[in-house]
Each structure stands twice: as structure tokens, then as C-alpha cells.
Amino acid sequence: MKNKYVFILTITVVCSFLLSLAAEGLRELYAKNVEVDKKKNILSAIGLDIDSFTIPDIDKYFNDNIDTLIVDISGNVVYEISILDLDEIENKQTGEIQYFYDDKEYLPLYNETINNVLILPISGKGLWSSLYGYFAIDANNYSTVKGITFYAHGETPGLGAEISKKWFQNNFIGKEIYSINNNLESITVIKGKASIDNKYQVDGISGATITSNGVTTLLKRDLERYQPYFINKRK
């Protein structure tokens, strides 16, 4: 009888150990998949066709050509902090993600050095979920839109989920976030078709007004957060 209990205890301990190892391995694999997916979306936002990219290709392009910047809310680059130091805190009501270090807010940015494109993370609320993505602008004038992507959301397929489709995202390319008077206009997703001559509007998604409005809101809010940096660079 004693040997029976020893055997059961041994099996329990061994199984627990193996499960712990598996869980740790899966956790690392999940973290790597999340990292790669974010990198893919950053590269897609600047217009790269990454369909043929392997994971090593993505990591290499990112390491060779993407500089990560941290700026404070006054728009000044901070060199003492890395993106790994920042704590991400999401406002559950608005879907907005803010980044903190020692109780101070900072803003992460990515600069693609070959084409001189600036990429910033964007986030906000759609109809059913929070929307997470990246927005890219030309770092030569800090106004011309180079692209937009969304890497996570829970919107309705065929409706709000169209924000992930190329037809929607391509509408943003070539638009402007600043007016000729240097006022921050952002980009408005309108109901229906936007005029081809309007630099600050894009086509909305039929049947997904709330998601479209959510994209408009989050873009305006996040661009305003980064505006002190834009102003510093546009001088």
C-alpha cells in the first residue's frame, strides 16, 4: 500500500513538472508570436509587402532599419528609457493604451530609416471591441499618410472587421493630417464616399458606422498626443 502512494505521488510530481515546462514553453512561443505580429503590422503600415517574409526576414529588417524612439508628452526624445521599460495601461472604456514609466507618461515611436517613415501605435474603441493598430506618416513633413494597419480587434466580419482589409487601409495612403495652415486635421472616416480631392477624409464602411467613428476618434486623439513631437520636428 505504501508503494502505491509513493508511485501516485511520484507520477503527480513528474506530471506537474512536465506541465510547468510545457506552459513556460508555450508562454514564450505566444510572446514571440505577438512580437512578430506587431512587427509585421509595423512593416505593413509603411507599405512593405511582407507576404514572402519569413520570421528571420522580419526580425532582420526590423533590427536593421527600424529605430525605436521614446518621447515625453512635451515631444522631447528621451534616451534613458527603452520601450521595454514602459508599462502599457489600457483604458477599458475608451480602448486607449497609454505608456508609463515611474508614473510618468511616455510615447513610443518607430522610425523606418530607409524611407524615413514614422510609425505610431494607435488604439481605441470600435463597436464590439478595442482596436489596436499602427499609423504611418512621412517623416520628411510629418503630415503625409503612408499607411495604417490594425493587428487586433473583435469587430463583426464583413462589417467593422473591414478595417483590416486592404481596400479600407489603402484609402488612407497619400492623405494629409495637417492643413496648409499647419492645423492638425487628422483623418475622418465619413459615411459613404469621400471626395477624391479631400485630403482629410476616407470612405466609410457600409453598415459599420460605429466602427468607422471609432477609427476617426482614436486617430484624432492619438495624433494629438504626439503633436508636440510633430511640432518640434516641423519647425
Side-chain angles (χ1 to χ4, degrees):
M1 182 65 70
K2 181 179 179 181
N3 289 338
K4 176 183 177 181
Y5 288 121
V6 170
F7 175 76
I8 293 174
L9 179 60
T10 302
I11 291 297
T12 302
V13 170
V14 171
C15 289
S16 298
F17 176 71
L18 292 175
L19 286 172
S20 296
L21 287 178
E24 184 63 29
L26 289 173
R27 187 180 300 112
E28 292 178 1
L29 180 61
Y30 174 78
K32 179 60 178 178
N33 287 339
V34 170
E35 175 193 343
V36 169
D37 192 51
K38 288 184 177 181
K39 287 181 178 179
K40 286 171 62 177
N41 276 274
I42 290 171
L43 299 185
S44 293
I46 62 179
L48 289 179
D49 182 1
I50 60 169
D51 290 342
S52 63
F53 278 33
T54 63
I55 291 177
D57 290 336
I58 291 169
D59 286 336
K60 186 177 189 312
Y61 192 97
F62 202 91
N63 292 335
D64 291 348
N65 305 302
I66 304 288
D67 291 335
T68 303
L69 306 174
I70 306 297
V71 301
D72 61 26
I73 57 175
S74 298
N76 303 305
V77 177
V78 178
Y79 297 100
E80 298 80 16
I81 301 173
S82 81
I83 194 167
L84 298 177
D85 296 322
L86 300 180
D87 294 321
E88 296 184 12
I89 299 178
E90 180 180 349
N91 183 316
K92 297 301 183 181
Q93 287 187 317
T94 66
E96 176 186 15
I97 293 179
Q98 293 175 279
Y99 304 84
F100 292 90
Y101 178 75
D102 281 349
D103 296 325
K104 293 183 180 179
E105 184 179 3
Y106 294 92
L107 305 170
L109 285 167
Y110 303 92
N111 181 222
E112 198 267 356
T113 55
I114 293 179
N115 302 292
N116 201 21
V117 178
L118 195 71
I119 308 102
L120 57 132
I122 53 176
S123 57
K125 279 293 184 184
L127 174 59
W128 302 113
S129 68
S130 294
L131 316 175
Y132 310 99
Y134 293 99
F135 188 71
I137 59 174
D138 190 334
N140 293 300
N141 61 13
Y142 295 89
S143 179
T144 305
V145 180
K146 306 299 286 187
I148 186 172
T149 62
F150 289 95
Y151 63 86
H153 64 80
E155 300 300 277
T156 307
L159 296 173
E162 293 292 295
I163 61 172
S164 295
K165 298 295 181 65
K166 284 295 183 183
W167 77 262
F168 177 74
Q169 296 175 3
N170 287 344
N171 285 330
F172 288 80
I173 299 172
K175 299 293 183 176
E176 304 286 338
I177 64 171
Y178 277 95
S179 70
I180 58 174
N181 297 319
N182 288 325
N183 295 319
L184 180 62
E185 298 289 339
S186 187
I187 307 294
T188 300
V189 183
I190 68 166
K191 188 173 183 178
K193 296 284 290 183
S195 168
I196 194 171
D197 297 323
N198 193 307
K199 296 181 179 180
Y200 317 107
Q201 295 180 349
V202 296
D203 299 350
I205 302 170
S206 179
T209 301
I210 294 178
T211 304
S212 298
N213 291 343
V215 173
T216 296
T217 298
L218 70 86
L219 275 179
K220 179 72 170 179
R221 182 186 60 229
D222 285 343
L223 288 172
E224 285 177 344
R225 292 168 67 199
Y226 285 86
Q227 184 168 210
Y229 176 78
F230 299 157
I231 290 174
N232 288 344
K233 303 299 288 187
R234 285 166 60 85
K235 289 178 180 177

